[in-house]
Amino acid sequence: MQVIKTIAEMQQFSLNCRRNGQTVGFVPTMGFLHEGHLSLVDQAKNESDIVVVSIFVNPTQFGPNEDLDAYPRDFERDESLCENRGVAAVFYPPVDQMYDDNFSTWVEETALTNTLCGESRPGHFRGVTTVVTKLFNAVLPDVAVFGQKDAQQAMVLRRMVRDLNFPIKMIVAPIVRESDGLAMSSRNKYLSNDERQRALSINRSLISAGELFKNGETSASVLIDSIGSEIAKNGGKVDYVKAVSQDTLQEVESLEKPSFIAVAAFFGKTRLIDNIFLG
Ligand code: AMP
């Protein structure tokens, strides 16, 4: 497995693969890898001849009071996880390789980013769409795989790929969970044992809402209230619980059409997100 740190070498690597008739699958990450990330590698392997994983903690998607500096990092561990999973190359650029001092060009999606995490984290998605564009231009993939855990992000990036004509097949892979149901996340490392136990209320409340829905409950406010109160009862501070359309991300009052419920909640200082697709 190669570790590549410059954009020029990354492009050369992919162009060589393509010249040899190999398709390139790509999994962008911020590192501190877990089985959720590695499941995306497996999906990419199914869809392409070789897999590239990027590891880049992207400063432009963090707000001024967010956890950029504290974000967990362990490159050596990530490297061996990738190697063992059959990754062909890890793209691991330093920040100055991705952003020049006078960097001034942004990519922005404007219809799907005003709600959910876009509302709570102003500028976040502009950072995501910009860095993913830059990573696409460095890695030149045929296929890119993202996780349903970040459902809004996946929708925004799918829209960007369509709107800007990237010749890339987008795949969205299911949420991978710990055995107790907590959605895997690099940020779970921040949780104390007590916070982690209490954070299980997120998934538990989503499952209960899913059961209510299966039994015929379609009122968004009933489902949202049941989730919000379960999380609050466990000491979580709800950032948002919203039921939104799977097509437009607009809030829905009734879950008769394909929708999902998205949650963001703080346990201690740690902000966790999760979701359930219904209908
Ligand atoms: P991150 O390193 O958190 O930026 O995530 C990189 C990619 O992994 C994104 O496409 C995420 O949606 C995906 N991902 C993160 N956690 C999970 C999970 N628990 N299950 C599936 N995909 C995930």
Short mmCIF file of all heavy atoms in Angstrom, two decimals, residues 28-31 34 36-37 39-40 61 71 145-150 153 173-177 183-186, ligand 1:
data_model
loop_
_atom_site.label_atom_id
_atom_site.label_comp_id
_atom_site.label_asym_id
_atom_site.label_seq_id
_atom_site.Cartn_x
_atom_site.Cartn_y
_atom_site.Cartn_z
N PRO A 28 -13.47 9.02 1.10
CA PRO A 28 -12.91 10.17 1.84
C PRO A 28 -13.22 10.05 3.33
O PRO A 28 -14.37 9.74 3.71
CB PRO A 28 -13.65 11.39 1.25
CG PRO A 28 -14.49 10.87 0.13
CD PRO A 28 -14.66 9.40 0.33
N THR A 29 -12.22 10.30 4.18
CA THR A 29 -12.44 10.26 5.63
C THR A 29 -11.60 11.34 6.31
O THR A 29 -10.69 11.90 5.71
CB THR A 29 -12.01 8.91 6.26
OG1 THR A 29 -10.59 8.92 6.47
CG2 THR A 29 -12.40 7.71 5.42
N MET A 30 -11.92 11.54 7.60
CA MET A 30 -11.07 12.40 8.43
C MET A 30 -10.21 11.55 9.36
O MET A 30 -9.64 12.05 10.33
CB MET A 30 -11.92 13.39 9.22
CG MET A 30 -12.70 14.33 8.30
SD MET A 30 -13.12 15.91 9.03
CE MET A 30 -14.10 15.39 10.42
N GLY A 31 -10.10 10.25 9.07
CA GLY A 31 -9.21 9.40 9.84
C GLY A 31 -9.80 8.97 11.17
O GLY A 31 -11.00 9.09 11.41
N HIS A 34 -12.72 3.52 11.94
CA HIS A 34 -13.46 2.47 12.65
C HIS A 34 -14.17 1.61 11.60
O HIS A 34 -14.04 1.86 10.39
CB HIS A 34 -14.43 3.09 13.66
CG HIS A 34 -15.31 4.17 13.08
ND1 HIS A 34 -16.25 3.93 12.10
CD2 HIS A 34 -15.36 5.51 13.31
CE1 HIS A 34 -16.86 5.05 11.78
NE2 HIS A 34 -16.32 6.04 12.49
N GLY A 36 -17.11 1.52 10.61
CA GLY A 36 -17.98 2.28 9.70
C GLY A 36 -17.21 2.69 8.46
O GLY A 36 -17.65 2.46 7.33
N HIS A 37 -16.04 3.29 8.68
CA HIS A 37 -15.20 3.69 7.54
C HIS A 37 -14.81 2.44 6.71
O HIS A 37 -14.83 2.48 5.48
CB HIS A 37 -13.90 4.33 8.03
CG HIS A 37 -14.08 5.61 8.78
ND1 HIS A 37 -13.73 5.75 10.10
CD2 HIS A 37 -14.54 6.83 8.39
CE1 HIS A 37 -13.96 6.99 10.51
NE2 HIS A 37 -14.46 7.67 9.49
N SER A 39 -16.27 -0.36 6.38
CA SER A 39 -17.37 -0.93 5.58
C SER A 39 -17.48 -0.19 4.24
O SER A 39 -17.87 -0.76 3.23
CB SER A 39 -18.70 -0.85 6.35
OG SER A 39 -19.19 0.48 6.35
N LEU A 40 -17.12 1.10 4.24
CA LEU A 40 -17.14 1.86 2.98
C LEU A 40 -16.02 1.37 2.06
O LEU A 40 -16.18 1.30 0.83
CB LEU A 40 -16.98 3.36 3.23
CG LEU A 40 -17.90 4.05 4.24
CD1 LEU A 40 -17.68 5.57 4.20
CD2 LEU A 40 -19.36 3.75 3.98
N GLN A 61 -14.29 22.79 7.33
CA GLN A 61 -15.65 22.36 7.69
C GLN A 61 -15.90 22.46 9.19
O GLN A 61 -16.96 22.06 9.67
CB GLN A 61 -15.92 20.95 7.17
CG GLN A 61 -15.19 19.83 7.88
CD GLN A 61 -15.35 18.51 7.14
OE1 GLN A 61 -14.86 18.32 6.03
NE2 GLN A 61 -16.06 17.58 7.74
N TYR A 71 -9.72 17.04 17.44
CA TYR A 71 -10.23 15.91 16.66
C TYR A 71 -9.22 14.75 16.73
O TYR A 71 -8.02 14.96 16.51
CB TYR A 71 -10.47 16.33 15.21
CG TYR A 71 -11.37 15.34 14.50
CD1 TYR A 71 -12.75 15.41 14.63
CD2 TYR A 71 -10.84 14.30 13.75
CE1 TYR A 71 -13.58 14.49 14.02
CE2 TYR A 71 -11.66 13.37 13.13
CZ TYR A 71 -13.03 13.47 13.27
OH TYR A 71 -13.85 12.54 12.68
N VAL A 145 -17.63 6.44 -2.18
CA VAL A 145 -18.55 5.83 -1.22
C VAL A 145 -18.63 6.70 0.04
O VAL A 145 -17.60 7.08 0.61
CB VAL A 145 -18.11 4.40 -0.83
CG1 VAL A 145 -19.18 3.73 0.02
CG2 VAL A 145 -17.80 3.57 -2.06
N PHE A 146 -19.87 6.97 0.46
CA PHE A 146 -20.13 7.79 1.65
C PHE A 146 -21.07 7.01 2.58
O PHE A 146 -21.72 6.06 2.16
CB PHE A 146 -20.76 9.13 1.25
CG PHE A 146 -19.82 9.97 0.43
CD1 PHE A 146 -19.78 9.83 -0.95
CD2 PHE A 146 -18.96 10.86 1.03
CE1 PHE A 146 -18.89 10.57 -1.72
CE2 PHE A 146 -18.06 11.61 0.28
CZ PHE A 146 -18.03 11.45 -1.10
N GLY A 147 -21.16 7.45 3.84
CA GLY A 147 -21.97 6.73 4.82
C GLY A 147 -23.31 7.40 5.07
O GLY A 147 -23.40 8.63 5.12
N GLN A 148 -24.31 6.56 5.26
CA GLN A 148 -25.67 7.06 5.56
C GLN A 148 -25.73 7.72 6.93
O GLN A 148 -26.66 8.45 7.24
CB GLN A 148 -26.61 5.85 5.52
CG GLN A 148 -28.06 6.18 5.60
CD GLN A 148 -28.57 6.70 4.26
OE1 GLN A 148 -28.13 7.72 3.75
NE2 GLN A 148 -29.47 5.98 3.69
N LYS A 149 -24.72 7.45 7.76
CA LYS A 149 -24.68 8.10 9.08
C LYS A 149 -24.77 9.61 8.92
O LYS A 149 -25.43 10.29 9.68
CB LYS A 149 -23.38 7.71 9.78
CG LYS A 149 -23.01 8.67 10.87
CD LYS A 149 -22.70 7.99 12.13
CE LYS A 149 -22.44 9.00 13.21
NZ LYS A 149 -21.38 9.94 12.80
N ASP A 150 -24.08 10.13 7.88
CA ASP A 150 -24.13 11.56 7.59
C ASP A 150 -25.09 11.74 6.40
O ASP A 150 -24.68 12.05 5.29
CB ASP A 150 -22.73 12.07 7.25
CG ASP A 150 -21.77 11.86 8.41
OD1 ASP A 150 -21.17 10.78 8.51
OD2 ASP A 150 -21.65 12.77 9.24
N GLN A 153 -25.14 15.03 4.51
CA GLN A 153 -23.90 15.18 3.74
C GLN A 153 -23.96 14.35 2.44
O GLN A 153 -23.60 14.84 1.37
CB GLN A 153 -22.72 14.72 4.59
CG GLN A 153 -21.42 14.60 3.83
CD GLN A 153 -20.26 14.25 4.76
OE1 GLN A 153 -19.72 15.13 5.41
NE2 GLN A 153 -19.89 12.99 4.83
N ALA A 173 -23.57 3.98 1.83
CA ALA A 173 -23.57 2.70 2.54
C ALA A 173 -24.25 2.85 3.91
O ALA A 173 -24.22 3.92 4.51
CB ALA A 173 -22.13 2.23 2.73
N PRO A 174 -24.85 1.74 4.40
CA PRO A 174 -25.62 1.80 5.65
C PRO A 174 -24.78 2.18 6.87
O PRO A 174 -23.56 2.03 6.87
CB PRO A 174 -26.15 0.38 5.83
CG PRO A 174 -25.77 -0.39 4.64
CD PRO A 174 -24.84 0.41 3.80
N ILE A 175 -25.48 2.62 7.92
CA ILE A 175 -24.81 2.99 9.18
C ILE A 175 -24.29 1.73 9.87
O ILE A 175 -25.02 0.75 10.01
CB ILE A 175 -25.81 3.68 10.14
CG1 ILE A 175 -26.38 4.95 9.49
CG2 ILE A 175 -25.15 4.00 11.47
CD1 ILE A 175 -27.44 5.65 10.34
N VAL A 176 -23.03 1.76 10.28
CA VAL A 176 -22.48 0.67 11.09
C VAL A 176 -22.52 1.09 12.55
O VAL A 176 -22.16 2.23 12.88
CB VAL A 176 -21.04 0.34 10.65
CG1 VAL A 176 -20.43 -0.74 11.54
CG2 VAL A 176 -21.02 -0.09 9.19
N ARG A 177 -22.99 0.16 13.40
CA ARG A 177 -23.18 0.47 14.82
C ARG A 177 -22.31 -0.40 15.71
O ARG A 177 -21.94 -1.51 15.33
CB ARG A 177 -24.66 0.26 15.20
CG ARG A 177 -25.58 1.18 14.44
CD ARG A 177 -27.05 0.99 14.80
NE ARG A 177 -27.83 1.92 13.99
CZ ARG A 177 -27.98 3.20 14.26
NH1 ARG A 177 -27.44 3.70 15.36
NH2 ARG A 177 -28.66 4.00 13.46
N ALA A 183 -24.18 4.49 17.01
CA ALA A 183 -23.59 4.64 15.66
C ALA A 183 -22.09 4.90 15.81
O ALA A 183 -21.68 5.75 16.61
CB ALA A 183 -24.26 5.80 14.94
N MET A 184 -21.29 4.13 15.07
CA MET A 184 -19.84 4.34 15.17
C MET A 184 -19.49 5.75 14.70
O MET A 184 -20.05 6.26 13.73
CB MET A 184 -19.10 3.32 14.32
CG MET A 184 -19.13 1.96 14.93
SD MET A 184 -17.98 0.88 14.09
CE MET A 184 -18.28 -0.62 15.00
N SER A 185 -18.54 6.37 15.41
CA SER A 185 -18.09 7.71 15.06
C SER A 185 -16.73 7.93 15.70
O SER A 185 -16.48 7.46 16.82
CB SER A 185 -19.08 8.75 15.61
OG SER A 185 -18.48 10.03 15.62
N SER A 186 -15.86 8.64 15.00
CA SER A 186 -14.55 8.97 15.59
C SER A 186 -14.76 9.77 16.87
O SER A 186 -13.95 9.70 17.79
CB SER A 186 -13.71 9.77 14.60
OG SER A 186 -13.64 9.10 13.36
P1 AMP B 1 -15.66 11.04 8.79
O1 AMP B 1 -14.29 10.46 8.93
O2 AMP B 1 -16.43 11.06 10.06
O3 AMP B 1 -15.69 12.32 8.02
O4 AMP B 1 -16.47 10.01 7.89
C1 AMP B 1 -16.00 9.59 6.64
C2 AMP B 1 -17.06 8.78 5.95
O5 AMP B 1 -17.40 7.65 6.75
C3 AMP B 1 -18.36 9.56 5.72
O6 AMP B 1 -18.90 9.21 4.44
C4 AMP B 1 -19.24 9.06 6.83
O7 AMP B 1 -20.62 9.14 6.53
C5 AMP B 1 -18.79 7.62 6.94
N1 AMP B 1 -19.11 7.06 8.25
C6 AMP B 1 -18.76 7.56 9.46
N2 AMP B 1 -19.28 6.82 10.45
C7 AMP B 1 -20.00 5.84 9.86
C8 AMP B 1 -20.79 4.75 10.35
N3 AMP B 1 -20.95 4.52 11.64
N4 AMP B 1 -21.37 3.94 9.44
C9 AMP B 1 -21.21 4.15 8.11
N5 AMP B 1 -20.48 5.16 7.59
C10 AMP B 1 -19.89 5.98 8.45
#
